[in-house]
Amino acid sequence: MSDRIAVTGLGLVTPGGIGAGPTWESLCAGGSAARADPALDGGPVAMSCRVPPPAAGPGRLWRFDPATRFLLTAAREALDSAGLEPAEWDAARVAVVVGTAAGGVGTLEAQHRKLLTAGHGVLSPMTLPAFLPNMAAGQLALELGTTGPSLQTSTACASGATAAVTACLLLAAGACDIAVAAGTDAMVTPLCASAFAKLGALSRREHEPEHASRPFDKDRDGFVLGEGCGVLILEREPHARARGAVPTALLTGHGSTSDAHHPTAPHPEGAGLRAATRAALAGAGAGPGDVDHINAHGTSTRLNDAVEAAVIRDLYARRPPSVTSAKGALGHTMGAAGAIEAAVTVLTIAHGTVPPTANFAVPDDTTAGLDIVTRALRAQSVRLALSHSLGFGGHNTVLAFAAPSYA
């Protein structure tokens, strides 16, 4: 990158709370948002991590799919924290890049049920605008009045991280001065829950849902389906400082690779994740010994955690970084996860605090040897941290974030 990319604002809507503050407090408390979910009764797994209902909100939001509602709410928080007001910026120089795995799949399912039970006459005219995958980015651009690039990225559970990479590329190319980079998904639906259960990806620990998502733990048996949104405001550092903004962190490097191995399983040796990590570190002008912390993908599935643990153990054998996974607390938020966890990584740097991995208690042979933060938060100065994201289809994205003082 010719100019460093500054993170000047962030917003979160997660099962841990609506807003970056409530989400951060929830993560640091070490509990889990997983609960029994009556909306999934009758399916193979009836628990999830849901976003809590807002105390209030604009009535017009009813017409949007939840994934778009989450995005509009988180984006407003991110812009406020960045000190940006859409009425005052050059709208043609602002990009919107939103990652999603499934778009408005909940709307599509609900309208299809109506079609089958009551006929086409009951279909909502908002069906297409609510579920088309590009519409979250389109609606956000409409809401903010931006006329720069408006894109949607879809790389399964790496989508939010891919959105951040795409935003960096647009900024580096001079296609925009400000980028709103986000990931959002609302896949806690009967169809999605049943499909993930059919793949064997979901935890079956329904008798104690709050202990079901157990990243890297010996007794992990799958993830808990979640929903939410994360938003980062990205700018070239000179642009941010020229308008008086103080960067919270710098996005100093990124790497994106493809496993080309299997539709749902990671490469058994983590080849794609290793390559993405090396690319992110090269972009940051750093080596493995410079990494203080990793926000792992950490899904709580047997295969993913084992492969990711092996990569971390091998690459950082001389100086193991601290490791945490937000999915123990928030569940797996699918296409939102990469953006949510990127924001959590930025907060980790800003607070000098690593939140614990909820429900991690005992490593097994595949995850032993990692410095996993558990039971309680850890005070730690973090100058350089990585955020891992992996997705079905073999997508790997690694983001490198640094403290603003990082040379």
Side-chain angles (χ1 to χ4, degrees):
M1 299 178 187
S2 55
D3 285 322
R4 301 195 302 181
I5 302 299
V7 181
T8 55
L10 57 87
L12 289 168
V13 171
T14 76
I18 298 175
T23 295
W24 180 249
E25 291 174 8
S26 174
L27 284 170
C28 289
S32 170
R35 300 288 184 271
D37 190 337
L40 300 180
D41 281 348
V45 176
M47 63 178 172
S48 70
C49 289
R50 292 272 190 183
V51 167
R60 61 186 171 73
L61 290 182
W62 68 266
R63 57 192 173 137
F64 300 123
D65 184 86
T68 301
R69 293 204 298 267
F70 300 157
L71 173 65
L72 297 182
T73 301
R76 173 45 63 186
E77 181 188 24
L79 292 174
D80 288 345
S81 67
L84 287 168
E85 176 50 58
E88 299 173 355
W89 64 23
D90 180 353
R93 299 294 298 164
V94 181
V96 169
V97 189
V98 180
T100 185
V105 66
T107 296
L108 183 61
E109 283 186 44
Q111 293 301 316
H112 189 233
R113 284 194 295 272
K114 283 186 177 182
L115 179 68
L116 295 179
T117 57
H120 62 83
V122 302
L123 282 183
S124 166
M126 293 301 294
T127 300
L128 283 166
F131 96 77
L132 289 175
N134 69 301
M135 288 306 293
Q139 293 289 9
L140 182 57
L142 185 63
E143 179 81 4
L144 301 179
T146 61
T147 57
S150 174
L151 308 171
Q152 201 91 18
T153 64
S154 188
T155 52
C157 301
S159 296
T162 303
V165 171
T166 305
C168 284
L169 296 175
L170 290 172
L171 287 163
C176 60
D177 295 323
I178 298 167
V180 183
T184 191
D185 253 326
M187 291 179 65
V188 185
T189 69
L191 174 63
C192 294
S194 298
F196 279 119
K198 202 74 174 176
L199 284 172
L202 296 188
S203 171
R204 300 285 180 152
R205 200 185 293 263
E206 290 183 86
H207 58 288
E208 49 175 4
E210 69 276 17
H211 298 302
S213 182
R214 310 177 66 84
F216 300 114
D217 185 79
K218 180 180 180 181
D219 293 328
R220 66 190 184 275
D221 70 334
F223 62 76
V224 176
L225 197 54
E227 61 185 9
C229 177
V231 176
L232 299 175
I233 305 299
L234 303 177
E235 306 171 58
R236 291 183 297 277
E237 188 178 18
H239 181 274
R241 295 197 182 278
R243 68 176 184 86
V246 178
T248 308
L250 302 172
L251 207 174
T252 52
H254 51 79
S256 298
T257 64
S258 179
D259 283 345
H261 166 69
H262 190 275
T264 59
H267 189 281
E269 297 175 358
L273 177 57
R274 291 170 194 266
T277 299
R278 292 191 179 102
L281 290 175
D290 299 313
V291 177
D292 297 316
H293 173 69
I294 293 175
N295 190 300
H297 190 56
T299 57
S300 185
T301 58
R302 293 221 161 267
L303 192 56
N304 181 91
D305 286 7
V307 169
E308 189 173 17
V311 171
I312 294 172
R313 195 165 43 238
D314 290 350
L315 288 179
Y316 308 97
R318 291 190 175 183
R319 183 175 178 267
S322 61
V323 176
T324 195
S325 168
K327 293 183 178 70
L330 307 179
H332 195 341
T333 56
M334 303 287 109
I340 290 173
E341 291 159 18
V344 169
T345 306
V346 170
L347 291 172
T348 296
I349 293 171
H351 289 281
T353 302
V354 178
T357 302
N359 294 317
F360 174 83
V362 181
D364 63 13
D365 290 343
T366 67
T367 62
L370 271 61
D371 179 17
I372 298 174
V373 179
T374 185
R375 300 186 188 283
L377 58 83
R378 178 190 294 178
Q380 179 188 348
S381 174
V382 176
R383 297 192 69 225
L384 181 65
L386 303 186
S387 182
H388 291 177
S389 294
L390 287 67
F392 281 180
H395 304 288
N396 305 280
T397 297
V398 176
L399 304 175
F401 291 99
S405 59
Y406 190 82

